[in-house]
Amino acid sequence: MASLPIFISAVANSTDEPHFPLLFTWSTHDGQIKEVLITPDDEWLHDHSIEPNLQNLDEQQLYEFGYEAQDILAEWATELDTDTMYAIDPETVEILIENLYDTKGLDPAFEVLPIEHWFDERDVDLHAARQENGDETPLSLLSPDEQIMSLLQVAANHDLLDLSELAQDEPL
């Protein structure tokens, strides 16, 4: 079986003019959901501020609980063996990923495509499938972890993911 796709979501410093990430949430190839706060790079805060956001993330929380760019990039390099990630808002997520990599003078090793692309390739209308499940709230209004959970659930409901194989990997 092919590994699961990587779905990714992010919270930016601003909804109007996103310049740097505050939080990334992504699925892994084994169906887990990971979420990490990002410690802001000094240069980011020199030019831009952190505006109020739906997750109520502020600068103090990021410094207290966040991870440096190099730690996140190291984790992605070892765990995310992919050249494509899928996002609800690919343009914004791509900007945030590029800015994270840019702190270390690197370029991302993957591209970010619209989530609809992955579902369309599998003949599933994502929005119709969510409505069939009773999910009326637009994905963009859900928290990042709820977005990822919703996407994985739709994929599983349409037999695009075989989650039973993942359970077999656990020790008895």
Side-chain angles (χ1 to χ4, degrees):
M1 178 182 113
S3 61
L4 299 177
I6 304 295
F7 300 142
I8 189 166
S9 184
V11 175
N13 67 303
S14 168
T15 54
D16 295 331
E17 294 185 39
H19 291 284
F20 61 89
L22 305 179
L23 171 116
F24 280 112
T25 306
W26 67 94
S27 61
T28 64
H29 290 300
D30 63 356
Q32 307 260 343
I33 297 175
K34 291 195 168 188
E35 188 166 73
V36 65
L37 293 173
I38 293 88
T39 302
D41 186 82
D42 291 338
E43 193 173 302
W44 294 344
L45 292 174
H46 184 265
D47 297 328
H48 309 283
S49 64
I50 297 173
E51 296 177 6
N53 54 74
L54 292 175
Q55 283 68 39
N56 293 318
L57 298 173
D58 60 32
E59 194 172 331
Q60 179 182 343
Q61 289 173 300
L62 299 176
Y63 280 109
E64 192 170 334
F65 301 109
Y67 289 86
E68 299 285 335
Q70 67 189 26
D71 298 329
I72 298 165
L73 297 179
E75 181 174 354
W76 285 357
T78 58
E79 290 186 11
L80 303 180
D81 182 22
T82 187
D83 55 2
T84 307
M85 288 189 179
Y86 299 92
I88 293 164
D89 183 358
E91 294 83 17
T92 298
V93 170
E94 192 165 49
I95 288 168
L96 301 177
I97 289 172
E98 286 173 358
N99 284 336
L100 186 71
Y101 273 86
D102 191 49
T103 63
K104 299 301 167 197
L106 301 170
D107 291 322
F110 50 84
E111 66 179 328
V112 180
L113 296 177
I115 188 61
E116 292 84 4
H117 183 79
W118 189 82
F119 284 97
D120 288 347
E121 284 182 338
R122 288 146 184 88
D123 296 322
V124 174
D125 179 330
L126 174 61
H127 302 290
R130 289 189 71 247
Q131 286 181 340
E132 289 169 12
N133 290 342
D135 298 328
E136 297 294 328
T137 305
L139 282 167
S140 61
L141 297 181
L142 297 175
S143 67
D145 60 326
E146 291 173 323
Q147 291 175 1
I148 303 300
M149 285 188 289
S150 180
L151 296 170
L152 290 171
Q153 187 63 52
V154 168
N157 289 349
H158 285 82
D159 298 323
L160 301 175
L161 308 177
D162 186 358
L163 300 179
S164 65
E165 282 189 24
L166 298 176
Q168 293 173 5
D169 291 342
E170 295 177 12
L172 298 174

